[in-house]
Structures are given as structure tokens and as C-alpha cells.
Amino acid sequence: MLKLKLNHKDDLFKFILSIFVFGIILIFLTVVTVILYYSYPAVSRFGIAFLWTKEWDPPKEIFGAATFIAGTFMVTIIALIFAIPLSLGIGIFLEEYCPKFLKGFFTIIIELLAGIPSVVFGVWGVLTIVPWLRKYIEPFFKSHFSFIPFLQVTENIGYGILAASIVVAFMVVPIIASITKDSLAAVPKITKDGALAMGATRLDVIKDISLPFSYRGIYGGIILGFGRAVGETIAVVLLIGNQAIIPKSIFGVGYTISAVLANTFTFAVISPIYASSEVELALILLLVSLIINIIGRNVLQRVIGGKLSRAQFGGG
Amino acid sequence: MAETDNYKKTGDPNNYFPVNKSYIKRKKIYNRIAYGFAALAFILGAFPVFHIIYSAFIIGYKYLNWHFISTLPTGFPIGAKGGILNAIVGDLYLVVIASCLAVPLGIGSGLYLSLFGKQRANSIIRLLNELMIGIPSVVWGIMGFYIFSTNAGLGFHFGFSALAGGLTLGFIMTPIVTLLTEQAVHRIPASYIEGALALGATKWQATKSVIVKAAMGGIFTAILLGVLNIIGQTAPLLFTNYYNTGTPTGITGPGGAVGDIAMLIFIYIHEPSRILHYKAEAAVVVLLFFVFTLDIGMRLISWLTVKIFEMF
């Protein structure tokens, strides 16, 4: 019976492969179920107010995520402010301006950046970015720009939102840059050549043809970069200063959701409600990443198809 | 208008079209400036790659010797003497365990996606995989803790151990292997598969004799990229397999934890000891060596595959 089936059709083969597919679905359901199940006590106890409660007081069992959400979004937004122009420039350079024989090599360099592990970025930040901020940038801002809100320097220590943002920006750059490059490469070459033949400069071609044609893909890249920046953990833990306060300036120290999880989750499991609140923080991260990735994927699908760029698989 | 008037006066046909020369000059200058900014952006983006390698090497070079990668950490604080053998062995454990889960699962479902299944169901599975790639690694770590490590409640009760850490990393690696295997099979010329099927082969026979051979390079690339991705992971290991300065006694339970290069770096950089910071930088060089070797090996394999395809 079985042999007949095996020879005749691929039922057995298909059955075995579908077990593997079932495994994939199981993995996805496991992560979602575990996070939902273990965060349920906190969700039912604190309700939606968890999102805007500022206290995080384990002994009194009052938990609210507002401080960490604020820190996470500050780091993410500032990182994107640095990363977007940089990666647009890189994408445009690689696709439009770069000499042909160097293009492959330069692309590999940017993709190597994507493969560097997050802890290595963290160490680089601690030993390079932080001293640089402490020695040059913070004293400069302190003496010249201290009247501008968000730019005041209170403690000249180097660690803080800005240090974390700079490093996260470099981790996000390869994603946005390579998706920008792929979107620009999807512009029909004949249109660009036509414009060049009519006497347009490269800048005209980029401004009037390439960017209008590929802006959706660039949005998609930015959305995926946002998703990556929100969940960044180890580099941020090492750089942000780890103080549960809402920073008033970009030089201030703060705390992000992922950093608080990395630092305190193993202590939290002794108290059920504490652990549950931490898992609820993870739930926020999970939901943000799922929503962001669904949106980003839908945007990208229309521009560059289902093509995955190498940079999307980060180095942890 | 001035140029047209000029033509009327002189009758020189080169001056017929009203060309505004200063306008063209300005355009060219703007183009140059844009070129400059784009190149500057590239240099700024490429700078960390070189500076990370350079700064790690400058600080850690005096520890980079055979002794460093062939001895266990000793001394006080632990690691002040000796090397990082525990972490290299531990990484081997974790990669093997993760691969045992992710390679069959990933290749199997990658083949399913490209050979069987309906359009709609496949696009959902593909979506799930892409979503899993986007899930932050710290969330995977928490899931791994509750499924594998915790000693209370539901779960496998492996404790903080290589098995728990490795399986969690395997969960991270699976969607990567799946998607890249599917792409590798898609890159095979359709005529290969259709030819086999037209000769009466079943899909299993076609897979065995054509697809696996033709997609071998792509599948290897998928596995290497998966390993590359998990080798630098730290956040999931925080909750599933913390760290071990010695060699593990097993892969589960107490004593089952292993060292890990990324974890070692993370722990050393937290210590208030200069010598451990130097050692962390030396370990960064070792980790980057592994990562870049895998990266370049992966590229070589996929480049060679393309070349071999071109030959036929």
C-alpha cells in the first residue's frame, strides 16, 4: 500500500515535508503563546494603563512601562534620524554614482556591517563612541548649545541615549541602505538612460526618476529598520546607562524595554507578577515587531517582490 | 532670448538653441555636490567596519596567540589568566545543537514551499517565517526560558544548559534556513525540474537526483547564514544558557551550561578590570574572524555555484 503510493505519487514525501512545515508553524505559535500566556496575569491586573504608568516598583508591585517605552522610542527615533540620510546616501552612491568595478566590493562592505554581532557593536560603543562623546561632543554642546531643549548636558559621562542611538543607527544602516539599493535597481534602466541622453545630470535622474519610482521601497526599508532598532538589546544595554528615568535631553541616560529585560528578567522570575510584567514588556516588543514587519513586508512586496536582502539577516 | 538674438545677428547655427550656459554649469555643480554627499555617506557607513576591526585589534593584539584560544580561563577575576577555550567549545556545542534542529526543519519546509502546497497557504507560511526573522532576539530568549530552562511550571526543565540555549538559537535559525532554501530552489532553472518530471520522475526522485544537487550551493549558503546569525547572539543566551568558565559536564541540567564567545565578551566588558576589557577586545577579534570567515565562505560558495551553472 505504502510502496504503491510512494511509487505512484509523492504522498509520503509530501507528508514528511509537511511535518517540517508544521514544525515551523509550531515554533511561531510557541513564541506567541508563551508570551501571551505568561504576560496574562500582568495584563489582567494592570490593564491598558500599564502603557502610561511611570512607576516601576518591584517591592510595591506597581509596574508601568511608560519610562521604558519612552526610552525605546527615543533611541529608535534618534537612531533613524541618523540612519535615514546616511543609508539613502549609501544606497544612491552604490546604485547610481559608484564606479562599476567597485560596486560589488563596496556592497560587500556594507553587508559585512550587517553581519557584525550586536555585542561587538556594544563593545565598540563603550570603548570608542562613549569616550569620544565624553571628551569632545558633550563639552562642546555644554558650552555652546545648552539653551536648546533636548540638547542640555547635565552629566558629562558619555553613556546615554545619544551613544546608544549612534550605535543602533550603524546597525540599522545596512538594512535601509541595501533595500534602498535594491529599490533603485528596480527602476527601468531605459528610462534613466533616456533622461541621461536628453542631457539630464545624474542628480536630475535620481531626483526626478529614480526616487519617485522607488520611494515605496525606501519607506519599506525604513519600516524594517525601525523594527530592527526597537528590538536591539545587547548594544543598548551596554550604552544607554540603565537608569529608569525618562530622559529630558538626548545626552541623558535612560532605559529601553529590551535593556530592562536583559538586565532584570532573571531576577524577576522569583515573583510571579514581576515576571509577568517583564513578559508584558516583551509582549509590547513582540507586537511592535509583528505589526512593523507585516506593514514593511506589504510595502516591499510591491516594489522588489519577495526578494530578501542579505542585510535583513542581522548578526544578533 | 539673448542667444536667439545672437543667432539672428551672427547667423551661427551653434547659437540657435537658447542654451543657458550658466544653468548647465550650475546643474553640473549640483551633481558634483550630490556625488560628494553620497560618497561621504558611504565612507561614514563603511567607517565602523574598519574601525571596529582596527580598534579591537589594536587593544587586543597582545593576547592574540595560540595560548589564548587553547586554554581555559583562570586567575582572578576569572579570565585574567588563560584564554577563551571554554567559549569556543561552547559555541561549537550551541551551533551543533541549533543546526540539528534548524537544518532539517529549514530545508524540509523550504523544499515544501517550493515544491508543494497551494499559493495561499504558502504565502502564509512565508509570512510567518519573515515575521519570525523580525522578532527581537530578547523575546526569543524569554520564550526559551519558559519552554526549556525554567524549573517550575510547564516546559522541558533543561535548566540553564547548552541544550536549552542551542534549541532557542535553533528557533532563531530555522526561518532563515527555510527562506533561503526556498530561494535556492527557485534559482534552479525551471527546465531542470520540469525535465525530470517530464521523464516520469516523482517529485521525490526529482528532488533526490536534480534539486538537491543543483541547489546544494544555495542550501549551504542558507545554513552558513543561519550559523552566522546565531554565532553572535547574546540576548537569547542570557535566559537559557548563561555562561560557564569551564567545560560542560553534560548538555542539560546543572553543569550543562557552556561558554559562548559573544557572552564572554558581554561579561568581560561589564567587569571593572582593564585586563578583561583587553581580553574582551581580543575575543572580539576571534568572533569577527569566525563571522567574516563564514560570510566570505558563504559568498564564495554562492559565487562558485553561479559559475558552475554558467558552465553548463
Side-chain angles (χ1 to χ4, degrees), chain A residues 10 97 124 204 297 310 314, chain B residues 27 31 51 130 203 229:
Chain A
D10 288 316
Y97 282 121
W124 181 66
D204 295 329
R297 182 179 181 273
R310 157 72 186 82
Chain B
K27 283 236 152 200
N31 187 36
H51 195 261
E130 286 180 25
K203 281 191 179 168
N229 208 303

Side-chain angles (χ1 to χ4, degrees), chain A residues 251-271:
Chain A
F251 295 105
V253 291
Y255 225 153
T256 66
I257 294 177
S258 49
V260 76
L261 286 175
N263 275 333
T264 61
F265 179 69
T266 36
F267 315 132
V269 291
I270 49 165
S271 148

Side-chain angles (χ1 to χ4, degrees), chain B residues 18-312:
Chain B
V19 174
N20 187 339
K21 284 209 173 118
S22 71
Y23 173 73
I24 290 177
K25 209 170 191 176
R26 211 163 61 230
K27 283 236 152 200
K28 280 187 174 164
I29 290 171
Y30 285 157
N31 187 36
R32 281 287 165 82
I33 293 171
Y35 191 137
F37 272 112
L40 187 72
F42 174 76
I43 290 167
L44 258 178
F47 164 74
V49 180
F50 297 108
H51 195 261
I52 284 172
I53 299 170
Y54 166 80
S55 63
F57 198 78
I58 281 291
I59 299 175
Y61 75 96
K62 57 184 157 191
Y63 294 106
L64 285 172
N65 45 34
W66 181 244
H67 183 71
F68 186 68
I69 55 170
S70 64
T71 50
L72 290 169
T74 50
F76 182 82
I78 190 94
K81 289 186 185 126
I84 58 165
L85 182 67
N86 66 325
I88 294 172
V89 172
D91 260 333
L92 213 61
Y93 270 79
L94 292 173
V95 166
V96 168
I97 293 170
S99 304
C100 284
L101 176 74
V103 168
L105 214 56
I107 293 179
S109 20
L111 285 176
Y112 183 91
L113 281 179
S114 45
L115 295 177
F116 300 105
K118 300 194 173 62
Q119 196 70 39
R120 226 181 137 71
N122 279 5
S123 70
I124 291 172
I125 295 163
R126 222 168 276 136
L127 173 69
L128 288 187
N129 278 306
E130 286 180 25
L131 291 182
M132 281 197 277
I133 288 175
I135 292 178
S137 52
V138 66
V139 176
W140 286 111
I142 286 172
M143 181 225 61
F145 176 81
Y146 280 119
I147 294 288
F148 300 120
S149 289
T150 178
N151 283 325
L154 302 167
F156 287 101
H157 303 253
F158 292 149
F160 275 47
S161 62
L163 193 61
L167 290 177
T168 309
L169 292 181
F171 279 20
I172 299 175
M173 185 175 161
T174 306
I176 300 171
V177 180
T178 305
L179 288 176
L180 289 171
T181 303
E182 195 213 346
Q183 286 197 344
V185 177
H186 263 292
R187 271 203 305 274
I188 305 173
S191 56
Y192 285 32
I193 303 172
E194 280 163 10
L197 294 178
L199 287 171
T202 61
K203 281 191 179 168
W204 159 242
Q205 287 163 334
T207 306
K208 192 177 60 171
S209 51
V210 178
I211 295 175
V212 168
K213 283 176 191 159
M216 189 64 91
I219 292 173
F220 261 119
T221 311
I223 297 169
L224 286 186
L225 191 51
V227 171
L228 177 79
N229 208 303
I230 62 168
I231 207 170
Q233 293 281 6
T234 320
L237 296 177
L238 280 170
F239 315 133
T240 53
N241 159 60
Y242 189 64
Y243 182 60
N244 188 351
T245 52
T247 44
T249 52
I251 55 169
T252 62
V258 292
D260 175 77
I261 302 181
M263 203 67 212
L264 176 140
I265 297 166
F266 183 66
I267 289 170
Y268 279 12
I269 206 72
H270 271 300
E271 299 279 342
S273 154
R274 186 141 291 189
I275 202 164
L276 287 188
H277 287 190
Y278 293 165
K279 291 216 167 180
E281 284 287 36
V284 164
V285 177
V286 176
L287 180 58
L288 284 181
F289 173 76
F290 284 136
V291 166
F292 288 161
T293 311
L294 279 173
D295 200 302
I296 289 160
M298 190 185 81
R299 278 165 210 286
L300 267 180
I301 288 175
S302 65
W303 180 76
L304 278 178
T305 328
V306 171
K307 283 280 161 218
I308 289 166
F309 265 120
E310 278 169 3
M311 271 176 2
F312 296 113

